[in-house]
Amino acid sequence: ELKVEQNPLFLSMQEGKNYTIYCNYSTTSDRLYWYRQDPGKSLESLFVLLSNGAVKQEGRLMASLDTKARLSTLHITAAVHDLSATYFCAVDIPPSNTGKLIFGQGTTLQVKP
Amino acid sequence: GAVVSQHPSWVICKSGTSVKIECRSLDFQATTMFWYRQFPKQSLMLMATSNEGSKATYEQGVEKDKFLINHASLTLSTLTVTSAHPEDSSFYICSAWTALAKNIQYFGAGTRLSVL
C-alpha cells in the first residue's frame, strides 16, 4: 500500500526555536516534494528533492532526502510567525514521471510570538 | 514560474444542481492536469488524471459520472460536479504538469464548493 506519513501532524512552537518535520514514505520514489499551504489557499511549492542525499535550503527552511530510509525532513531554523502554515510532503505515485502524487497528511505549524 | 488559473474560487449552489470548475494553464501547454479534493484539515486526495484529447482516469472510489472531466485543449481542463449534494462540499484543486518540466507541478488557487 502506498503511504506517506508525516510526523508530527500539529506543531506549536515559539519564535526563535528550531524543529524538524519528518516524512516517511513507502514507495521507491527518488523524488520528494514539499509544499506549503496557507489557510484557504492552494499549495505553494517549497522544495523538489531529486535524489538520495539531496539537501535544499531556502531561508529558515531546509529539506533533505534519504531514499534508502525513505525519509525526508523539513528543518525549521529560528522559527518566525510568518512560517505558520500547513506543510505537506508528497512523492510520485509509481510509475514515476507521470506527475501523479500522493500526499502526506500535512503538518500544521503554529509559531507563537 | 508557470501560472495555473482556477475559476471560480468559491461557489455556493443548491443541492441537485451542477457546478463547473475551470482550470487553465496560462503560459504553458499542460500535458496532464490533475484534480484533487481536500476536506477541511485533511490532505489532498487525487481524484482523477486528465490528459488532453482522451478520457480522464479516475482514482478508485471516485464516481466518474458524478465528477465529469473534460480536457479539450492543452491549456484547459474542466471538472463538473453533477447533481451536487452537501457531501460534495469540499475544496477542489487542480494542477498542471508537463513532461517538459517533470519535477514541477503547478497548482491552481483552488475552488471552495459549498452545497446547500
Side-chain angles (χ1 to χ4, degrees):
Chain A
E1 183 188 357
L2 299 177
K3 277 188 179 181
V4 180
E5 295 183 328
Q6 290 181 233
N7 177 40
L9 300 183
F10 182 80
L11 178 56
S12 180
M13 57 192 297
Q14 296 290 126
E15 278 193 329
K17 297 292 186 182
N18 305 332
Y19 210 84
T20 300
I21 300 170
Y22 298 89
C23 175
N24 287 93
Y25 57 97
S26 64
T27 72
T28 56
S29 177
D30 287 333
R31 285 199 296 251
L32 189 132
Y33 311 84
W34 283 99
Y35 295 93
R36 168 181 172 147
Q37 185 179 38
D38 291 296
K41 304 291 185 181
S42 190
L43 300 184
E44 173 191 351
S45 178
L46 294 176
F47 300 107
V48 180
L49 303 170
L50 298 176
S51 60
N52 186 42
V55 177
K56 289 194 174 180
Q57 183 164 4
E58 181 72 35
R60 301 175 186 274
L61 300 178
M62 183 173 71
S64 65
L65 178 61
D66 181 345
T67 57
K68 293 180 181 178
R70 298 184 185 176
L71 170 68
S72 179
T73 61
L74 180 66
H75 186 73
I76 303 153
T77 302
V80 292
H81 179 69
D82 285 351
L83 290 179
S84 297
T86 297
Y87 294 86
F88 291 95
C89 62
V91 296
D92 295 321
I93 294 176
S96 60
N97 298 335
T98 63
K100 293 174 69 172
L101 299 176
I102 179 170
F103 285 82
Q105 312 98 307
T107 297
T108 298
L109 173 65
Q110 185 181 80
V111 182
K112 298 181 177 179
Chain B
V3 177
V4 173
S5 172
Q6 188 172 342
H7 178 81
S9 57
W10 189 26
V11 57
I12 302 174
C13 69
K14 292 183 179 180
S15 187
T17 60
S18 295
V19 174
K20 181 184 281 188
I21 303 170
E22 290 189 351
C23 182
R24 292 180 184 272
S25 57
L26 297 184
D27 53 1
F28 72 104
Q29 293 182 324
T31 310
T32 305
M33 289 187 176
F34 299 98
W35 288 94
Y36 294 88
R37 182 174 183 175
Q38 185 180 31
F39 289 109
K41 300 190 187 301
Q42 293 189 25
S43 188
L44 279 74
M45 298 298 294
L46 179 64
M47 297 175 65
T49 303
S50 169
N51 292 297
E52 184 265 342
S54 62
K55 288 185 178 180
T57 304
Y58 291 82
E59 296 300 306
Q60 193 172 9
V62 178
E63 299 176 59
K64 61 180 181 181
D65 294 330
K66 174 77 170 175
F67 300 100
L68 300 179
I69 292 173
N70 183 272
H71 195 152
S73 74
L74 284 172
T75 60
L76 174 64
S77 177
T78 60
L79 168 67
T80 301
V81 183
T82 63
S83 187
H85 291 285
E87 57 265 30
D88 298 323
S89 298
S90 187
F91 193 50
Y92 293 88
I93 303 175
C94 70
S95 70
W97 179 85
T98 172
L100 296 178
K102 290 179 181 179
N103 304 326
I104 305 295
Q105 194 156 147
Y106 302 96
F107 287 86
T111 298
R112 186 160 305 282
L113 171 63
S114 296
V115 184
L116 304 178

